[in-house]
Amino acid sequence: MKYFFKTLKVEFIKKKKSGIIVLSIIIGAFIPIMYLISRMYMNAEVDKIGIPENLYSKDLSNVLSPFLGFFFPLLIILVASKITQIDHKNKGWNLMETQPTSKKAIYFSKFLLLLISNLIAISTFILLGVLLSAISPYIIDVSPYLVKEFQFGIFLKIGIKIFILSLSISAIQYVISVKIKSFIWPILIGFLMMLLPVLLSKYKAYLFWYPYTMLNQISDYPRGSELGNFFTYTDILSILIAIGLLYIGFNWYRFKTFLTAFVNPKIKLIKLIVVLLITGLLITIVIKPKHQKKHNKTIINGIVETDKNIITISIHEIGTLDTIAKIDVVDGKFHHEIKKKIIPDYYQINFESYQKTAVFFGGKDSLFITYKLFGKKEELKITGNRIAENKKNSLRRFRYDKIDSYLSNNIDIKDANFYMKMIYEKWQIELMKLKSNRTIDNIIPREDFINRENKRINLKYINYWNRYKKIRKSLYPDIKYVVADKIKELNTSLIATDISMLSDNKYFEYTMDELIKKDKRELSKDEKCFDAISNLEKGMFKDRLMFQQLNKSIKEAGNKELRDSLNKRYINSISKKSYRELLLKKHFNINRLSKGMIAPNFIALDKNKKEHQLIDFKGKVVFIDVWATWCAPCLYESPYFEKQALKYKKEEVVFISVSSDKLYNTWLPEVKDKGKSVLHLHLKDARKFASNYDISSIPRFILIDKKGKLIDVNFTRPSNKNFEELFEKYIK
Amino acid sequence: MLIKLDNVSFGYSAKTDVLKNLSINVPKGSIYGFIGPNGAGKSTVMQLITGIIPYNKEGISLFEKPLKKQIPNVFSKIGALVESPALYLHLSGIDNLRCVTTLKNIPETKILEVLEIVGLRKNGNQKVKRYSLGMKQRLAIAMTLLGDPELLLLDEPVNGLDPSGINDIRELLVKLNQEKGTTIFISSHLLDEIEKMCTHIGIINKGEIQFEGTIQELSDRESKYKLNITTKNSTAKKELLKDKYNSIEWIKENKFVVNLDSEDEIPLLAKFLVQHDIPIYELSVEDNLEEWFLNLTK
């Protein structure tokens, strides 16, 4: 210690005029300034309504990624090289080592200088970012819903976390820069290491433990741990990596060559091995993924923040849409205990008609759901003890799918081996990737989820293989090929009677295909399916299959007679009462809203608060667009709807756009300036309208004939190319 | 002994030894010239003495104590210049000196004193980048002088200096040695550059010590004196000379060389020539140390 301070003082003398501090400030300031300037010049229109976030946090989260992903690592690389060059270039190491100070002090005071430069950059970045956020409302338009309260703690925490995660990168760069005398090589190596995750992502490898990846991860999790811990495993990992590297780096520097540092005499080798083993062991402990424990009850709770009026949340079985729970929202909060047995699976959670989302959970799980909806902006976050399972999996996002594209274009169909190899390899990669996915708290999904996802992946690739076989059969029916063992392994990886998979529509189809595979009778596929399901053993699996099959057939049936006879024949083979009730209700609604039935009346107000009713339009064809101001796909359809209205202006057709918005006043400003070709109405009782017309999602288009009878309650969208052809059949 | 190396062997790799059983003894108060051609191992010895290269075995001691145990505190008594010049070119002369005063806990007022000594007082605030080679060399020496060291270790300190610069340094070092009793260990690849100021000489070649001793011992070692004499019209006296001096060798018509056994024979030779009417146009004693050194280090 007595050497350390004076050596640090000397480092400060030496760094004079080297521009390190200025560089740190410039790099720290660059992104926040660019962010503000870009917003000044883009002059983007801001939304008036949105999720009330913190102004400062929002701005910070926008600038974190470029700073952490590129500029800050760049600074570390440059400064590490710069401060070691001061001594490499001038042979300063020899000078320093022949002064009354220890090598430890020389080595670590320089490292400290690097850390000080990091701190300067981080503080500049955060403080300037906050300052610019604070003045931004005076310079540019800022969304009015943003909260302008400054929370110091959040920024301090982010600053500390960036600093801790920069330790490992700094250590790597410093060790390299001290050992390699050239100026350019450490920088090149640094760049290469910085870009490595990008290069490797092409090969679908995600190195969660890699220092550069860990640093950049802060921009994905600016709030840090989802469990409320201050430190996450990445912080500890970064410190451990830094300690291990600095131990090696310092001894290497102290004894000049690797051999004298770690091999001769043997005691040093033993010391090295011990240090490596201990850090290795600690790292293994830290990166070992954790599972979340089960709860003693099945609890669904959470909060809803919205400018709409959401009073109930419902949970449904996917596939049947059977209701598992209906939960009241009181003061924006909800809490419910599910007493029924729950199979671990995806379940659909409905926030009335605003949002439907699939959430994974099972019995004895406690989910905390945060849903925010303001204007057209929404946010959904699931915590509790199924965080990892419900983490938005970036790997599942749409990507170019080679197999799909090859099959679609019939490329190389003749080469069975090529397809077998490709399908097997991609299958294995996807299975592997499933396990590599972890949260910021190092939590990986529990076994049941992995199993469920495994089956989904198996199914995906079995389907590819089946698709291939089908194409192959039609193109090269006579050329034989041998099915490889790997493909046999794939084919046997899924059983056809897995109840936990029935929420997956593709699995339902797969199961049905498997069940009727041996049925060579001259019958329609539906008939074969009904027969096969009827022959199954009584139970949940049969109920689900029958439900889904019957539901599908009733929907597809063209007339009431067929629907009624199907229902009569099969509904009693379902043992579960709620399923039967659901089907009967659906059946009833389909019949009630089928072609030729009287359209349910409704009352609505126009822009001038004048009341209109559906029956007022008798004598004209009525085409209704059901929409809401918060619904983006509806807004996409509106111009098409208007265009058609103009086109058929002279015909006996009324184009009505009814809004299901809760409040008249949220609706009015949106339609105030619209033309007269479309009649804009605001529903007086939107709930009743939705139940009358069995509306579970919008946009919805309803066509009613001149006598007030339904033509179609779910008519094709105006954006459809064939719209006019279909439409004109009914208006003349 | 202020510096003592006792049978030190050292190699950068296991197979080849750069230094072989090397022993060096530098007495207190001496100016020890450490001489050898480039690549003989001078810098390696310098780095071992300063601990820049860690030496694990026993055998090196400074101030009568093993070196290993004294690093780094011993450097408060040492001024070292290894691989000259180690200077921070982007800093001013004063800032360079300030680095040393900070590390040695010396008051900064000393900075001007040493600048004065090496004659750089006016250039203290200039960036070292702008210094001439000689100025850099002098600044580097100034850095070693800070803190009144008991021992100066100077690796090729006069390298690249002009003759007057070399002379200045020589005078400075001799003065330090005489006034303050500073022991100076100085290495060079040229014997005549430093021979004149040294009290002791060590000669190294190919990692081995060829000679070590006082300057007197060095002179005594080669007992013969070689004289160059230029004369005129002495062809007739050739036989006479040959009889008197067996070793005579005629180089040119009027020029010959004679080897004598002792210094005292030189005036006798002059007397002999005068007595026999042999004119002396030039009589010079050849510096045979340089020749001997070249032989040693061939």
Side-chain angles (χ1 to χ4, degrees), chain B residues 61-77:
Chain B
S61 54
L62 290 178
F63 301 98
E64 308 281 349
K65 274 178 241 153
L67 172 69
K68 261 194 292 182
K69 290 178 185 144
Q70 302 181 76
I71 289 178
N73 280 329
V74 72
F75 290 114
S76 47
K77 294 191 281 186

PDB file of all heavy atoms in Angstrom, chain B residues 61-77:
ATOM      1  N   SER B  61      24.608  -9.942  -4.662  1.00  0.00           N
ATOM      2  CA  SER B  61      24.350  -9.122  -3.477  1.00  0.00           C
ATOM      3  C   SER B  61      24.774  -7.684  -3.712  1.00  0.00           C
ATOM      4  O   SER B  61      25.735  -7.400  -4.423  1.00  0.00           O
ATOM      5  CB  SER B  61      25.027  -9.721  -2.244  1.00  0.00           C
ATOM      6  OG  SER B  61      26.395  -9.914  -2.504  1.00  0.00           O
ATOM      7  N   LEU B  62      24.006  -6.803  -3.122  1.00  0.00           N
ATOM      8  CA  LEU B  62      24.300  -5.374  -3.171  1.00  0.00           C
ATOM      9  C   LEU B  62      24.424  -4.893  -1.735  1.00  0.00           C
ATOM     10  O   LEU B  62      23.681  -5.353  -0.865  1.00  0.00           O
ATOM     11  CB  LEU B  62      23.156  -4.610  -3.843  1.00  0.00           C
ATOM     12  CG  LEU B  62      22.951  -4.816  -5.342  1.00  0.00           C
ATOM     13  CD1 LEU B  62      21.754  -4.013  -5.812  1.00  0.00           C
ATOM     14  CD2 LEU B  62      24.170  -4.408  -6.110  1.00  0.00           C
ATOM     15  N   PHE B  63      25.338  -3.999  -1.498  1.00  0.00           N
ATOM     16  CA  PHE B  63      25.544  -3.475  -0.145  1.00  0.00           C
ATOM     17  C   PHE B  63      25.719  -4.616   0.852  1.00  0.00           C
ATOM     18  O   PHE B  63      25.154  -4.588   1.939  1.00  0.00           O
ATOM     19  CB  PHE B  63      24.384  -2.567   0.288  1.00  0.00           C
ATOM     20  CG  PHE B  63      24.180  -1.394  -0.618  1.00  0.00           C
ATOM     21  CD1 PHE B  63      23.214  -1.432  -1.607  1.00  0.00           C
ATOM     22  CD2 PHE B  63      24.968  -0.251  -0.495  1.00  0.00           C
ATOM     23  CE1 PHE B  63      23.028  -0.355  -2.455  1.00  0.00           C
ATOM     24  CE2 PHE B  63      24.773   0.829  -1.346  1.00  0.00           C
ATOM     25  CZ  PHE B  63      23.809   0.783  -2.330  1.00  0.00           C
ATOM     26  N   GLU B  64      26.408  -5.670   0.428  1.00  0.00           N
ATOM     27  CA  GLU B  64      26.740  -6.820   1.285  1.00  0.00           C
ATOM     28  C   GLU B  64      25.518  -7.632   1.700  1.00  0.00           C
ATOM     29  O   GLU B  64      25.588  -8.434   2.625  1.00  0.00           O
ATOM     30  CB  GLU B  64      27.485  -6.363   2.563  1.00  0.00           C
ATOM     31  CG  GLU B  64      28.703  -5.477   2.320  1.00  0.00           C
ATOM     32  CD  GLU B  64      29.942  -6.245   1.903  1.00  0.00           C
ATOM     33  OE1 GLU B  64      29.939  -7.488   1.994  1.00  0.00           O
ATOM     34  OE2 GLU B  64      30.903  -5.588   1.426  1.00  0.00           O
ATOM     35  N   LYS B  65      24.399  -7.400   1.045  1.00  0.00           N
ATOM     36  CA  LYS B  65      23.218  -8.196   1.398  1.00  0.00           C
ATOM     37  C   LYS B  65      22.620  -8.794   0.124  1.00  0.00           C
ATOM     38  O   LYS B  65      22.749  -8.193  -0.952  1.00  0.00           O
ATOM     39  CB  LYS B  65      22.161  -7.304   2.069  1.00  0.00           C
ATOM     40  CG  LYS B  65      22.367  -7.143   3.560  1.00  0.00           C
ATOM     41  CD  LYS B  65      21.325  -6.209   4.143  1.00  0.00           C
ATOM     42  CE  LYS B  65      21.976  -4.996   4.774  1.00  0.00           C
ATOM     43  NZ  LYS B  65      21.174  -3.816   4.809  1.00  0.00           N
ATOM     44  N   PRO B  66      21.979  -9.942   0.234  1.00  0.00           N
ATOM     45  CA  PRO B  66      21.386 -10.532  -0.970  1.00  0.00           C
ATOM     46  C   PRO B  66      20.400  -9.545  -1.609  1.00  0.00           C
ATOM     47  O   PRO B  66      19.605  -8.905  -0.916  1.00  0.00           O
ATOM     48  CB  PRO B  66      20.647 -11.774  -0.452  1.00  0.00           C
ATOM     49  CG  PRO B  66      21.251 -12.068   0.858  1.00  0.00           C
ATOM     50  CD  PRO B  66      21.775 -10.781   1.415  1.00  0.00           C
ATOM     51  N   LEU B  67      20.442  -9.464  -2.932  1.00  0.00           N
ATOM     52  CA  LEU B  67      19.617  -8.496  -3.660  1.00  0.00           C
ATOM     53  C   LEU B  67      18.125  -8.763  -3.463  1.00  0.00           C
ATOM     54  O   LEU B  67      17.340  -7.860  -3.223  1.00  0.00           O
ATOM     55  CB  LEU B  67      19.977  -8.560  -5.152  1.00  0.00           C
ATOM     56  CG  LEU B  67      19.090  -7.750  -6.097  1.00  0.00           C
ATOM     57  CD1 LEU B  67      19.310  -6.270  -5.882  1.00  0.00           C
ATOM     58  CD2 LEU B  67      19.370  -8.106  -7.549  1.00  0.00           C
ATOM     59  N   LYS B  68      17.778 -10.054  -3.577  1.00  0.00           N
ATOM     60  CA  LYS B  68      16.366 -10.447  -3.568  1.00  0.00           C
ATOM     61  C   LYS B  68      15.589  -9.817  -2.419  1.00  0.00           C
ATOM     62  O   LYS B  68      14.456  -9.384  -2.584  1.00  0.00           O
ATOM     63  CB  LYS B  68      16.261 -11.969  -3.434  1.00  0.00           C
ATOM     64  CG  LYS B  68      16.029 -12.679  -4.741  1.00  0.00           C
ATOM     65  CD  LYS B  68      15.603 -14.120  -4.507  1.00  0.00           C
ATOM     66  CE  LYS B  68      16.722 -14.953  -3.932  1.00  0.00           C
ATOM     67  NZ  LYS B  68      16.373 -16.361  -3.732  1.00  0.00           N
ATOM     68  N   LYS B  69      16.265  -9.801  -1.235  1.00  0.00           N
ATOM     69  CA  LYS B  69      15.540  -9.347  -0.045  1.00  0.00           C
ATOM     70  C   LYS B  69      15.428  -7.839   0.021  1.00  0.00           C
ATOM     71  O   LYS B  69      14.678  -7.312   0.836  1.00  0.00           O
ATOM     72  CB  LYS B  69      16.236  -9.880   1.210  1.00  0.00           C
ATOM     73  CG  LYS B  69      16.052 -11.377   1.326  1.00  0.00           C
ATOM     74  CD  LYS B  69      16.767 -11.951   2.516  1.00  0.00           C
ATOM     75  CE  LYS B  69      16.641 -13.467   2.500  1.00  0.00           C
ATOM     76  NZ  LYS B  69      17.846 -14.129   2.987  1.00  0.00           N
ATOM     77  N   GLN B  70      16.165  -7.144  -0.818  1.00  0.00           N
ATOM     78  CA  GLN B  70      16.195  -5.678  -0.692  1.00  0.00           C
ATOM     79  C   GLN B  70      15.307  -4.965  -1.713  1.00  0.00           C
ATOM     80  O   GLN B  70      15.067  -3.776  -1.581  1.00  0.00           O
ATOM     81  CB  GLN B  70      17.630  -5.179  -0.860  1.00  0.00           C
ATOM     82  CG  GLN B  70      18.586  -5.777   0.116  1.00  0.00           C
ATOM     83  CD  GLN B  70      19.960  -5.196  -0.111  1.00  0.00           C
ATOM     84  OE1 GLN B  70      20.225  -4.069   0.260  1.00  0.00           O
ATOM     85  NE2 GLN B  70      20.813  -5.951  -0.764  1.00  0.00           N
ATOM     86  N   ILE B  71      14.893  -5.736  -2.737  1.00  0.00           N
ATOM     87  CA  ILE B  71      14.051  -5.097  -3.753  1.00  0.00           C
ATOM     88  C   ILE B  71      12.674  -4.850  -3.169  1.00  0.00           C
ATOM     89  O   ILE B  71      12.129  -5.731  -2.519  1.00  0.00           O
ATOM     90  CB  ILE B  71      13.962  -5.985  -5.016  1.00  0.00           C
ATOM     91  CG1 ILE B  71      15.306  -5.959  -5.724  1.00  0.00           C
ATOM     92  CG2 ILE B  71      12.853  -5.531  -5.951  1.00  0.00           C
ATOM     93  CD1 ILE B  71      15.381  -6.826  -6.962  1.00  0.00           C
ATOM     94  N   PRO B  72      12.044  -3.737  -3.351  1.00  0.00           N
ATOM     95  CA  PRO B  72      12.510  -2.589  -4.137  1.00  0.00           C
ATOM     96  C   PRO B  72      13.147  -1.471  -3.302  1.00  0.00           C
ATOM     97  O   PRO B  72      13.546  -0.469  -3.870  1.00  0.00           O
ATOM     98  CB  PRO B  72      11.210  -2.095  -4.752  1.00  0.00           C
ATOM     99  CG  PRO B  72      10.186  -2.372  -3.712  1.00  0.00           C
ATOM    100  CD  PRO B  72      10.633  -3.582  -2.965  1.00  0.00           C
ATOM    101  N   ASN B  73      13.232  -1.657  -1.945  1.00  0.00           N
ATOM    102  CA  ASN B  73      13.692  -0.523  -1.126  1.00  0.00           C
ATOM    103  C   ASN B  73      15.102  -0.078  -1.443  1.00  0.00           C
ATOM    104  O   ASN B  73      15.452   1.088  -1.267  1.00  0.00           O
ATOM    105  CB  ASN B  73      13.601  -0.892   0.353  1.00  0.00           C
ATOM    106  CG  ASN B  73      12.179  -0.736   0.848  1.00  0.00           C
ATOM    107  OD1 ASN B  73      11.453   0.118   0.341  1.00  0.00           O
ATOM    108  ND2 ASN B  73      11.780  -1.554   1.788  1.00  0.00           N
ATOM    109  N   VAL B  74      15.912  -1.033  -1.910  1.00  0.00           N
ATOM    110  CA  VAL B  74      17.307  -0.729  -2.174  1.00  0.00           C
ATOM    111  C   VAL B  74      17.438   0.385  -3.217  1.00  0.00           C
ATOM    112  O   VAL B  74      18.428   1.110  -3.248  1.00  0.00           O
ATOM    113  CB  VAL B  74      18.045  -2.021  -2.620  1.00  0.00           C
ATOM    114  CG1 VAL B  74      17.637  -2.434  -4.013  1.00  0.00           C
ATOM    115  CG2 VAL B  74      19.548  -1.852  -2.544  1.00  0.00           C
ATOM    116  N   PHE B  75      16.425   0.557  -4.034  1.00  0.00           N
ATOM    117  CA  PHE B  75      16.525   1.543  -5.103  1.00  0.00           C
ATOM    118  C   PHE B  75      16.509   2.982  -4.596  1.00  0.00           C
ATOM    119  O   PHE B  75      16.792   3.910  -5.350  1.00  0.00           O
ATOM    120  CB  PHE B  75      15.407   1.348  -6.139  1.00  0.00           C
ATOM    121  CG  PHE B  75      15.596   0.101  -6.942  1.00  0.00           C
ATOM    122  CD1 PHE B  75      14.715  -0.950  -6.848  1.00  0.00           C
ATOM    123  CD2 PHE B  75      16.693  -0.018  -7.784  1.00  0.00           C
ATOM    124  CE1 PHE B  75      14.904  -2.099  -7.581  1.00  0.00           C
ATOM    125  CE2 PHE B  75      16.881  -1.167  -8.512  1.00  0.00           C
ATOM    126  CZ  PHE B  75      15.988  -2.214  -8.413  1.00  0.00           C
ATOM    127  N   SER B  76      16.166   3.170  -3.320  1.00  0.00           N
ATOM    128  CA  SER B  76      16.265   4.533  -2.810  1.00  0.00           C
ATOM    129  C   SER B  76      17.732   4.931  -2.639  1.00  0.00           C
ATOM    130  O   SER B  76      18.051   6.102  -2.511  1.00  0.00           O
ATOM    131  CB  SER B  76      15.483   4.671  -1.500  1.00  0.00           C
ATOM    132  OG  SER B  76      15.780   3.608  -0.648  1.00  0.00           O
ATOM    133  N   LYS B  77      18.636   3.926  -2.643  1.00  0.00           N
ATOM    134  CA  LYS B  77      20.062   4.224  -2.533  1.00  0.00           C
ATOM    135  C   LYS B  77      20.772   4.124  -3.874  1.00  0.00           C
ATOM    136  O   LYS B  77      21.977   4.286  -3.964  1.00  0.00           O
ATOM    137  CB  LYS B  77      20.715   3.229  -1.556  1.00  0.00           C
ATOM    138  CG  LYS B  77      20.227   3.364  -0.120  1.00  0.00           C
ATOM    139  CD  LYS B  77      21.089   2.557   0.826  1.00  0.00           C
ATOM    140  CE  LYS B  77      20.726   1.078   0.778  1.00  0.00           C
ATOM    141  NZ  LYS B  77      21.460   0.292   1.785  1.00  0.00           N
TER     142      LYS B  77
END
